[in-house]
Amino acid sequence: MDGFAAALTPVNLLFALAGVILGTAVGVLPGIGPAMAVALLLPLTFGMETSSALIMFAGIYYGGMYGGSTTSILLNTPGESATVITAIEGHKMAKAGRAAQALATAAIGSFVAGTIGTALLVTVAPIVVKFAVSLGAPSYFAIMVLALVTVTAVLGSSKIRGFAALGLGLAIGLVGMDPVSGQQRLTFGFAPLVDGLDIVVVAVAIFAIGEALWIAAHLRSNPARTIPVGAPWMGKEDWKRSWKPWLRGTAFGFPFGALPAGGAEVPTFLSYVTEKKLSKHPEEFGHGAIEGVAGPEAANNASAAGTLTPMLALGLPTNATAAVMLAFLTMKGIQPGPLLFENEPDLVWALIASLFIGNTLLLLINLPLAPLWAKLLKIPRPYLYAGILFFATLGAFSVNMQVADLWLLLIIGLLGFALRRFGLPVLPLILGVIIGPMAEEQLRKTFQLSAGSVNGLWSEPLAVGIYILIAVLLLLPVLISVIRRARGKDSILAAGLSGGGEITEDEVEQFDAATAAKHKADGKHGRSTGTERDES
């Protein structure tokens, strides 16, 4: 109740409104996600109340999750990776003249899922906090390693690229002065680096500068053609076919959002597959089924609420936006983690209460304003990204008022461009920058408690269990790949024998080599699977 009292003040209501409007706008515009918007706004929040800034950031996050569905439905261009599934059925509905119904089920589904997800956050987060407070340094370090490893292993086209991005992030996090010995690390004699790289500069460079350079390299000046849409509405049959997918999508989204490697991509896919199996109209899937929009959009927004659970309760972000929000707390001198609920209860509960308010505002704003959001898509890209570069540069300079920060902004921005060019995921790098120093602190504490013995790392039962889980997560895909490869060769040999052919092991190896060469040319890695051999 105190949280609602704080969130409902005129100032905080205004920030919540600004957040959801801005969030929807950045979600609608392809390539500009909530993480970039929050990173760009970090420098502007220095003089703001912490709770007001966090409320605005949460509004941007929820709004961005919703806004991405608009481009998916009208343009077949997901504004966010989590809305890729929405594009499958949503755009087909739009082309069939049902864009209004698709946008309406996306908006209402987002509201239902966001509200239920936030209620679950209220219930689950304090329980997680009570558990986390009892943990020692070895367990906390193990949890951080789990978060880094799982997020890195799951994202991107290959694990090698994910761990390469993580290594870059950890290296950037080490820049500055050693917290124990006072020795300078990775500063190369450059005085402005002694205090370390400011997380604001890193976040703005990676998201805003890197994305702007990437878009500029692939610029198409002609605005995309959007499908006209009237005021969103739903008929009786649409309601009947949507309410169950909303609830099932919520059930998928929240738990995955709360997992260290969850995110919204997996639950949206699972929701889509489930609705396709349970639907009474399976023939409509692939041609514009409303369930294929309702379920994934609900899963998308429920995962957003789930993401805030480990961020607030454990101080562990599971996606880029949460990582930047956590950086904001650190910048304000607030220690994220289990003690956040105890040390800053007013801040936490005002933020959670604002999520209920922001969800309601999103529904009230987005239903009537859908045609306006569609017009945003006609802004020429050069103007849009010129503005982003201007505000990014201004924001980075305002942090410390040092010209050196502008050079760092450019250098790290080029690194962000290189990440996109070579297919390295951005999130592991950002997590490495933020969680790396925190993990180092817990590692130092662990060794201090164990008098320098490595055995201290697994001195607690939970830490042992987490390391076993990490090993399983890393080794299981390798084992599955080996088994599939063995089965693939067996199936080829069996097919050759049954057909009277003379397929030998040498020929199978030649097929492997040819497929690997094809994958390399396509920018893929790894050897062929049994399915590919069967098709050939």
Side-chain angles (χ1 to χ4, degrees), residues 35-36 39 148 151-152 155-157 161-170 172 202-211 214 318-321 323-324 412-413 415-434:
M36 184 196 290
L148 290 172
V151 169
T152 301
L155 293 174
S157 56
R161 293 177 182 180
F163 281 108
L166 176 63
L168 287 170
L170 292 173
I172 293 172
V202 175
V204 170
I206 291 293
F207 289 113
I209 305 295
E211 185 68 26
W214 177 250
T318 59
N319 67 15
T321 312
V324 181
I412 300 172
L415 175 63
F417 173 78
L419 290 175
R420 290 161 174 81
R421 167 64 182 81
F422 295 105
L424 274 68
V426 173
L427 180 55
L429 185 143
I430 291 294
L431 288 184
V433 175
I434 295 171

Coordinates of all heavy atoms in Angstrom, one line a residue, residues 35-36 39 148 151-152 155-157 161-170 172 202-211 214 318-321 323-324 412-413 415-434:
A35 N 16.3 -1.4 -24.1 CA 17.7 -1.4 -23.5 C 18.4 -0.1 -24.0 O 19.0 0.6 -23.2 CB 18.5 -2.6 -23.9
M36 N 18.3 0.2 -25.3 CA 18.9 1.4 -25.8 C 18.3 2.6 -25.3 O 19.0 3.6 -24.9 CB 18.8 1.4 -27.4 CG 19.6 2.6 -28.0 SD 19.1 3.0 -29.7 CE 19.8 1.6 -30.5
A39 N 19.4 3.1 -21.7 CA 20.9 3.5 -21.7 C 21.0 5.0 -22.1 O 21.8 5.7 -21.5 CB 21.7 2.6 -22.6
L148 N 26.0 -16.1 -15.7 CA 26.9 -15.7 -16.8 C 27.0 -16.9 -17.8 O 26.9 -16.7 -19.0 CB 28.3 -15.4 -16.3 CG 28.4 -14.1 -15.5 CD1 29.8 -13.9 -14.9 CD2 28.1 -12.9 -16.4
V151 N 23.4 -17.7 -19.6 CA 23.0 -16.7 -20.6 C 23.9 -16.7 -21.8 O 23.5 -16.6 -22.9 CB 23.0 -15.3 -19.9 CG1 22.9 -14.2 -21.0 CG2 21.9 -15.1 -18.9
T152 N 25.2 -16.9 -21.6 CA 26.2 -16.9 -22.6 C 26.0 -18.2 -23.5 O 26.1 -18.1 -24.8 CB 27.6 -16.9 -22.1 OG1 27.8 -15.8 -21.2 CG2 28.7 -16.9 -23.1
L155 N 22.4 -17.8 -25.7 CA 22.3 -16.8 -26.7 C 23.2 -16.9 -27.9 O 24.3 -17.5 -27.8 CB 22.5 -15.4 -26.1 CG 21.5 -15.0 -25.1 CD1 21.9 -13.7 -24.4 CD2 20.1 -14.8 -25.7
G156 N 22.8 -16.4 -29.1 CA 23.7 -16.3 -30.2 C 23.7 -17.6 -31.0 O 23.1 -18.6 -30.7
S157 N 24.5 -17.6 -32.1 CA 24.5 -18.7 -33.0 C 25.5 -19.8 -32.6 O 25.4 -20.9 -33.1 CB 24.9 -18.2 -34.4 OG 26.1 -17.5 -34.4
R161 N 31.1 -17.9 -29.7 CA 30.8 -16.4 -29.9 C 30.3 -15.8 -28.6 O 30.6 -14.7 -28.2 CB 29.9 -16.2 -31.0 CG 30.5 -16.5 -32.4 CD 29.5 -16.3 -33.5 NE 30.0 -16.7 -34.8 CZ 29.4 -16.6 -35.9 NH1 28.2 -16.2 -35.9 NH2 30.0 -17.0 -37.0
G162 N 29.4 -16.6 -27.9 CA 28.8 -16.1 -26.6 C 29.9 -15.9 -25.6 O 30.0 -14.9 -24.9
F163 N 30.8 -16.9 -25.5 CA 31.9 -16.8 -24.4 C 32.9 -15.8 -24.8 O 33.5 -15.2 -24.0 CB 32.5 -18.2 -24.2 CG 31.7 -19.1 -23.3 CD1 31.0 -20.2 -23.9 CD2 31.6 -18.8 -22.0 CE1 30.3 -21.0 -23.1 CE2 30.8 -19.6 -21.2 CZ 30.1 -20.7 -21.7
A164 N 33.1 -15.5 -26.1 CA 34.0 -14.5 -26.6 C 33.5 -13.1 -26.1 O 34.2 -12.3 -25.6 CB 34.2 -14.5 -28.1
A165 N 32.1 -12.9 -26.3 CA 31.5 -11.7 -25.9 C 31.6 -11.5 -24.4 O 31.9 -10.4 -23.8 CB 30.0 -11.6 -26.3
L166 N 31.4 -12.6 -23.6 CA 31.5 -12.6 -22.2 C 32.9 -12.2 -21.8 O 33.1 -11.4 -20.8 CB 31.1 -13.9 -21.6 CG 31.3 -14.1 -20.1 CD1 30.3 -13.1 -19.3 CD2 31.0 -15.5 -19.6
G167 N 33.9 -12.8 -22.4 CA 35.3 -12.5 -22.1 C 35.6 -11.0 -22.3 O 36.3 -10.4 -21.5
L168 N 35.1 -10.4 -23.4 CA 35.3 -9.0 -23.6 C 34.6 -8.2 -22.5 O 35.2 -7.2 -22.0 CB 34.6 -8.6 -24.9 CG 35.4 -9.0 -26.2 CD1 34.5 -8.8 -27.4 CD2 36.7 -8.3 -26.4
G169 N 33.4 -8.6 -22.1 CA 32.8 -7.8 -21.0 C 33.5 -7.9 -19.7 O 33.6 -6.9 -19.0
L170 N 34.0 -9.1 -19.3 CA 34.8 -9.3 -18.1 C 36.0 -8.5 -18.1 O 36.4 -7.9 -17.1 CB 35.1 -10.8 -17.9 CG 33.9 -11.7 -17.6 CD1 34.3 -13.1 -17.5 CD2 33.3 -11.3 -16.2
I172 N 36.5 -5.6 -19.8 CA 36.1 -4.2 -19.6 C 35.8 -4.0 -18.2 O 36.2 -2.9 -17.6 CB 34.9 -3.9 -20.5 CG1 35.3 -3.9 -22.0 CG2 34.4 -2.5 -20.2 CD1 34.2 -3.8 -23.0
V202 N 29.6 2.8 -21.4 CA 29.7 1.4 -22.0 C 28.3 1.1 -22.6 O 28.2 0.6 -23.8 CB 30.1 0.4 -21.0 CG1 30.1 -1.0 -21.7 CG2 31.6 0.6 -20.6
A203 N 27.3 1.2 -21.8 CA 25.9 0.9 -22.2 C 25.5 1.7 -23.5 O 24.9 1.1 -24.4 CB 24.9 1.0 -21.1
V204 N 25.7 3.0 -23.4 CA 25.3 3.9 -24.5 C 26.1 3.5 -25.8 O 25.5 3.5 -26.9 CB 25.5 5.4 -24.1 CG1 25.3 6.3 -25.3 CG2 24.5 5.8 -23.0
A205 N 27.4 3.3 -25.6 CA 28.2 2.9 -26.8 C 27.8 1.6 -27.4 O 27.6 1.6 -28.6 CB 29.7 2.9 -26.3
I206 N 27.6 0.6 -26.6 CA 27.3 -0.7 -27.2 C 25.9 -0.7 -27.8 O 25.7 -1.2 -28.9 CB 27.3 -1.8 -26.0 CG1 28.8 -2.0 -25.6 CG2 26.7 -3.1 -26.5 CD1 29.7 -2.6 -26.6
F207 N 24.9 -0.1 -27.1 CA 23.5 -0.2 -27.7 C 23.3 0.9 -28.7 O 22.8 0.6 -29.8 CB 22.5 -0.1 -26.5 CG 22.4 -1.3 -25.6 CD1 22.9 -1.2 -24.3 CD2 22.0 -2.5 -26.1 CE1 22.8 -2.3 -23.5 CE2 21.9 -3.6 -25.4 CZ 22.4 -3.5 -24.0
A208 N 23.5 2.1 -28.4 CA 23.1 3.2 -29.3 C 24.1 3.4 -30.4 O 23.7 3.4 -31.6 CB 23.0 4.5 -28.5
I209 N 25.4 3.6 -30.1 CA 26.4 3.8 -31.2 C 26.5 2.6 -32.1 O 26.5 2.7 -33.3 CB 27.8 4.2 -30.6 CG1 27.6 5.4 -29.6 CG2 28.8 4.5 -31.7 CD1 27.2 6.7 -30.3
G210 N 26.7 1.4 -31.4 CA 26.9 0.2 -32.2 C 25.7 -0.1 -33.1 O 25.9 -0.4 -34.3
E211 N 24.5 0.1 -32.6 CA 23.3 -0.1 -33.4 C 23.2 0.9 -34.5 O 22.8 0.6 -35.7 CB 22.0 -0.1 -32.5 CG 20.7 -0.4 -33.2 CD 20.6 -1.9 -33.6 OE1 21.3 -2.7 -33.0 OE2 19.9 -2.2 -34.6
W214 N 25.6 0.0 -37.2 CA 25.1 -1.2 -37.9 C 24.0 -0.8 -38.9 O 24.0 -1.3 -40.1 CB 24.7 -2.2 -36.9 CG 24.2 -3.5 -37.5 CD1 22.9 -3.9 -37.5 CD2 24.9 -4.4 -38.2 NE1 22.8 -5.1 -38.2 CE2 24.0 -5.5 -38.6 CE3 26.3 -4.6 -38.6 CZ2 24.4 -6.6 -39.4 CZ3 26.7 -5.7 -39.3 CH2 25.8 -6.7 -39.7
T318 N 18.7 -10.6 -16.1 CA 18.7 -11.7 -17.1 C 18.5 -11.3 -18.5 O 18.4 -12.1 -19.4 CB 17.6 -12.7 -16.7 OG1 16.3 -12.0 -16.7 CG2 17.8 -13.3 -15.3
N319 N 18.4 -10.0 -18.7 CA 18.4 -9.4 -20.1 C 19.0 -8.0 -20.1 O 19.4 -7.5 -19.0 CB 17.0 -9.4 -20.7 CG 16.0 -8.4 -20.0 OD1 16.5 -7.6 -19.2 ND2 14.8 -8.6 -20.2
A320 N 19.2 -7.5 -21.3 CA 19.9 -6.2 -21.4 C 19.3 -5.1 -20.7 O 20.0 -4.3 -20.0 CB 20.1 -5.9 -22.9
T321 N 18.0 -5.0 -20.8 CA 17.3 -3.8 -20.1 C 17.4 -3.9 -18.6 O 17.7 -2.9 -17.9 CB 15.8 -3.8 -20.5 OG1 15.6 -4.0 -21.9 CG2 15.1 -2.5 -20.0
A323 N 19.8 -5.3 -17.1 CA 21.2 -5.0 -16.8 C 21.5 -3.5 -16.7 O 22.2 -3.1 -15.8 CB 22.1 -5.7 -17.8
V324 N 20.9 -2.8 -17.6 CA 21.1 -1.3 -17.5 C 20.4 -0.7 -16.3 O 20.9 0.2 -15.7 CB 20.6 -0.7 -18.9 CG1 20.8 0.8 -18.8 CG2 21.3 -1.3 -20.1
I412 N 34.3 2.0 -28.0 CA 33.4 0.9 -27.5 C 32.2 0.8 -28.5 O 31.7 -0.3 -28.7 CB 32.9 1.2 -26.1 CG1 34.1 1.2 -25.1 CG2 32.0 0.1 -25.6 CD1 33.8 1.7 -23.7
G413 N 31.8 2.0 -29.1 CA 30.7 1.9 -30.1 C 31.2 1.1 -31.3 O 30.4 0.3 -31.9
L415 N 33.3 -1.3 -31.1 CA 33.3 -2.7 -30.6 C 31.8 -3.2 -30.7 O 31.6 -4.4 -31.1 CB 33.7 -2.7 -29.2 CG 33.6 -4.1 -28.5 CD1 34.5 -5.1 -29.1 CD2 34.0 -3.9 -27.0
G416 N 30.8 -2.4 -30.4 CA 29.4 -2.8 -30.5 C 29.1 -3.1 -32.0 O 28.4 -4.1 -32.3
F417 N 29.6 -2.3 -32.9 CA 29.4 -2.6 -34.3 C 30.0 -3.9 -34.7 O 29.4 -4.7 -35.5 CB 30.0 -1.4 -35.2 CG 30.0 -1.7 -36.7 CD1 28.8 -1.5 -37.4 CD2 31.1 -2.1 -37.3 CE1 28.8 -1.8 -38.8 CE2 31.1 -2.3 -38.7 CZ 29.9 -2.2 -39.4
A418 N 31.3 -4.2 -34.2 CA 32.0 -5.4 -34.6 C 31.2 -6.6 -34.0 O 31.2 -7.7 -34.7 CB 33.4 -5.4 -34.0
L419 N 30.6 -6.5 -32.8 CA 29.9 -7.6 -32.3 C 28.7 -8.0 -33.2 O 28.5 -9.2 -33.4 CB 29.3 -7.2 -30.9 CG 30.2 -7.0 -29.7 CD1 29.5 -6.5 -28.5 CD2 30.9 -8.3 -29.4
R420 N 28.0 -7.0 -33.7 CA 26.9 -7.2 -34.6 C 27.4 -7.8 -36.0 O 26.8 -8.7 -36.5 CB 26.1 -6.0 -34.8 CG 25.3 -5.5 -33.6 CD 24.9 -4.1 -33.7 NE 24.0 -3.7 -32.6 CZ 24.4 -3.4 -31.4 NH1 25.7 -3.4 -31.1 NH2 23.6 -3.0 -30.4
R421 N 28.5 -7.3 -36.4 CA 29.1 -7.7 -37.7 C 29.5 -9.2 -37.7 O 29.2 -9.9 -38.6 CB 30.3 -6.9 -38.1 CG 31.2 -7.4 -39.2 CD 30.4 -7.4 -40.5 NE 31.2 -7.9 -41.6 CZ 31.4 -9.2 -41.8 NH1 30.8 -10.1 -41.0 NH2 32.1 -9.6 -42.9
F422 N 30.0 -9.6 -36.6 CA 30.5 -11.0 -36.5 C 29.6 -11.9 -35.7 O 30.0 -13.1 -35.3 CB 31.9 -11.1 -35.9 CG 32.9 -10.4 -36.8 CD1 33.4 -9.1 -36.4 CD2 33.4 -11.0 -37.9 CE1 34.4 -8.5 -37.2 CE2 34.3 -10.3 -38.8 CZ 34.8 -9.1 -38.4
G423 N 28.4 -11.5 -35.4 CA 27.4 -12.3 -34.8 C 27.6 -12.6 -33.3 O 27.1 -13.6 -32.8
L424 N 28.3 -11.8 -32.6 CA 28.5 -12.0 -31.2 C 27.3 -11.3 -30.4 O 27.0 -10.2 -30.7 CB 29.8 -11.4 -30.7 CG 31.1 -12.3 -30.8 CD1 31.4 -12.5 -32.3 CD2 32.2 -11.6 -30.1
P425 N 26.7 -12.1 -29.5 CA 25.6 -11.5 -28.7 C 26.0 -10.3 -27.8 O 27.1 -10.4 -27.2 CB 25.0 -12.7 -27.9 CG 26.1 -13.6 -27.8 CD 27.0 -13.4 -29.1
V426 N 25.2 -9.3 -27.7 CA 25.6 -8.2 -26.9 C 25.4 -8.4 -25.4 O 26.2 -7.9 -24.6 CB 24.7 -6.9 -27.3 CG1 25.0 -5.7 -26.4 CG2 25.1 -6.6 -28.8
L427 N 24.3 -9.2 -25.0 CA 24.0 -9.3 -23.6 C 25.1 -9.9 -22.8 O 25.4 -9.4 -21.7 CB 22.7 -10.1 -23.5 CG 22.2 -10.4 -22.0 CD1 22.1 -9.1 -21.3 CD2 21.0 -11.2 -22.0
P428 N 25.8 -11.0 -23.2 CA 26.9 -11.5 -22.4 C 28.0 -10.4 -22.1 O 28.5 -10.4 -21.0 CB 27.5 -12.6 -23.2 CG 26.4 -13.1 -24.0 CD 25.6 -11.8 -24.4
L429 N 28.3 -9.5 -23.0 CA 29.3 -8.5 -22.8 C 28.8 -7.5 -21.7 O 29.5 -7.2 -20.8 CB 29.5 -7.7 -24.1 CG 30.6 -6.6 -24.0 CD1 31.4 -6.6 -25.3 CD2 30.0 -5.2 -23.7
I430 N 27.5 -7.1 -21.8 CA 27.0 -6.2 -20.8 C 26.9 -6.8 -19.4 O 27.3 -6.2 -18.4 CB 25.6 -5.7 -21.2 CG1 25.7 -4.8 -22.4 CG2 24.9 -4.9 -20.1 CD1 26.4 -3.5 -22.2
L431 N 26.5 -8.1 -19.4 CA 26.5 -8.8 -18.1 C 27.9 -9.0 -17.5 O 28.1 -8.9 -16.3 CB 25.9 -10.2 -18.3 CG 24.4 -10.2 -18.5 CD1 23.9 -11.7 -18.5 CD2 23.6 -9.5 -17.4
G432 N 28.9 -9.2 -18.4 CA 30.3 -9.3 -17.9 C 30.8 -8.0 -17.3 O 31.4 -8.1 -16.3
V433 N 30.4 -6.9 -17.9 CA 30.8 -5.6 -17.4 C 30.2 -5.3 -16.0 O 30.8 -4.8 -15.1 CB 30.4 -4.4 -18.3 CG1 30.7 -3.1 -17.7 CG2 31.2 -4.6 -19.6
I434 N 28.9 -5.7 -15.8 CA 28.2 -5.4 -14.6 C 28.4 -6.4 -13.5 O 28.8 -6.1 -12.4 CB 26.7 -5.2 -14.9 CG1 26.4 -4.0 -15.8 CG2 25.9 -5.1 -13.6 CD1 25.0 -3.9 -16.3

